[in-house]
């Protein structure tokens, strides 16, 4: 038991250190770009020795790749939990998608620097971590795809829906709308932005009821 407790303690401390490095890296890279950010700066911002960075990550590129995995993993988990919570309360698939939109906005509001980096990296094609980015992106989109497919199967959605494209469009809508909100309309509340996207989801942008 003591050995197990000690191992758990080491694991917890290492995870806390990695979290500090993620936060330092994402902030610096958002401020000055990947190429301009050095390992020394990441270590200094995180409050650790330079050797600690290399103890946890083989290189700056590996750190950034793991940062993408970590961040998108958090987003994916929040989307999945939103869908599952809706199901537990008896909500339909539109309710689940609406809850996922809100979960996405909450995530972006909490991690704006990561979201900016993630969206920027989606458009680059010459990065060493491009394949990793595509994998983790698909993990997030797949959660939305699952809800859409279930909605088609139970008759809540039309079977003419292009599930993969619709899922990507919904995720993209939340990402772009949230970044626009934070950059150009920061006076708006999260509830306000969510309400606007919710109306889009439910096909009521024309003002019709129902």
């Amino acid at each position: 038991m003591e050995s197990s407790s000690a191992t758990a303690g080491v694991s917890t401390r290492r995870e806390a250190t990695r979290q500090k490095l993620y936060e330092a890296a994402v902030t610096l890279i958002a401020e000055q770009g990947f190429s301009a950010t050095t390992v020394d700066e990441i270590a200094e911002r995180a409050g650790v020795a330079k050797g600690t960075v290399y103890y946890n990550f083989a290189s700056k590129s590996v750190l950034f790749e793991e940062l993408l995995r970590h961040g998108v993993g958090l987003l994916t988990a929040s989307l999945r939990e939103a869908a599952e919570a809706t199901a537990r309360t008896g909500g339909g698939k539109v309710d689940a998608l609406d809850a996922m939109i809100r979960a996405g906005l909450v995530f972006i509001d909490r991690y704006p620097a990561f979201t900016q980096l993630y969206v920027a990296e989606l458009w680059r094609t010459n990065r060493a971590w491009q394949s990793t980015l595509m994998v983790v992106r698909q993990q997030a989109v797949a959660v939305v795809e699952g809800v859409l497919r279930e909605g088609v199967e139970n008759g809540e959605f039309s079977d003419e829906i292009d599930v993969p494209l619709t899922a990507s469009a919904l995720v993209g809508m939340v990402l772009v709308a949230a970044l626009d909100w934070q950059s150009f309309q920061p006076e708006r509340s999260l509830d306000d932005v969510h309400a606007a996207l919710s109306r889009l989801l439910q096909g009521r942008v024309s003002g019709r009821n129902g």
Side-chain angles (χ1 to χ4, degrees):
M1 287 293 290
E2 291 181 1
S3 176
S4 177
S5 297
T7 300
V10 170
S11 178
T12 300
R13 287 194 297 274
R14 185 174 187 188
E15 186 55 39
T17 298
R18 289 168 75 93
Q19 183 64 41
K20 287 196 294 185
L21 291 171
Y22 288 143
E23 292 173 359
V26 74
T27 303
L28 285 165
I29 294 170
E31 290 173 355
Q32 57 194 34
F34 177 80
S35 298
T37 299
T38 67
V39 171
D40 287 308
E41 289 173 320
I42 293 171
E44 181 179 358
R45 180 69 65 93
V48 301
K50 182 177 179 179
T52 300
V53 180
Y54 288 115
Y55 175 75
N56 285 275
F57 305 100
S59 66
K60 185 177 69 170
S61 291
V62 171
L63 167 56
F64 190 68
E65 185 172 346
E66 289 303 310
L67 170 63
L68 290 172
R69 289 183 185 275
H70 176 71
V72 180
L74 290 176
L75 173 59
T76 301
S78 67
L79 296 177
R80 184 178 294 111
E81 172 54 29
E84 292 174 350
T86 303
R88 288 195 296 270
T89 58
K93 299 309 175 186
V94 171
D95 298 318
L97 291 174
D98 189 54
M100 294 164 84
I101 286 175
R102 184 172 186 86
L105 291 173
V106 169
F107 174 88
I108 294 165
D109 189 44
R110 183 175 181 182
Y111 303 107
F114 172 79
T115 305
Q116 291 168 10
L117 281 180
Y118 172 67
V119 171
E121 290 301 317
L122 284 174
W123 296 101
R124 302 185 197 278
T125 58
N126 60 344
R127 299 294 207 188
W129 50 78
Q130 188 67 24
S131 60
T132 295
L133 183 61
M134 292 300 99
V135 169
V136 295
R137 171 201 167 274
Q138 185 53 37
Q139 289 172 351
V141 173
V143 179
V144 184
E145 287 184 9
V147 172
L148 287 169
R149 286 198 175 91
E150 290 171 3
V152 171
E153 291 168 2
N154 69 19
E156 191 170 347
F157 302 139
S158 168
D159 58 10
E160 296 181 354
I161 285 178
D162 184 322
V163 170
L165 186 59
T166 302
S168 296
L170 286 171
V171 173
M173 175 184 74
V174 174
L175 287 171
V176 174
L179 290 177
D180 183 88
W181 159 41
Q182 293 182 336
S183 298
F184 305 112
Q185 306 178 64
E187 72 282 358
R188 301 184 70 164
S189 69
L190 190 150
D191 287 341
D192 186 31
V193 177
H194 174 223
L197 297 186
S198 181
R199 284 190 290 271
L200 275 175
L201 171 68
Q202 298 178 46
R204 293 193 284 121
V205 290
S206 65
R208 294 192 302 269
N209 293 324

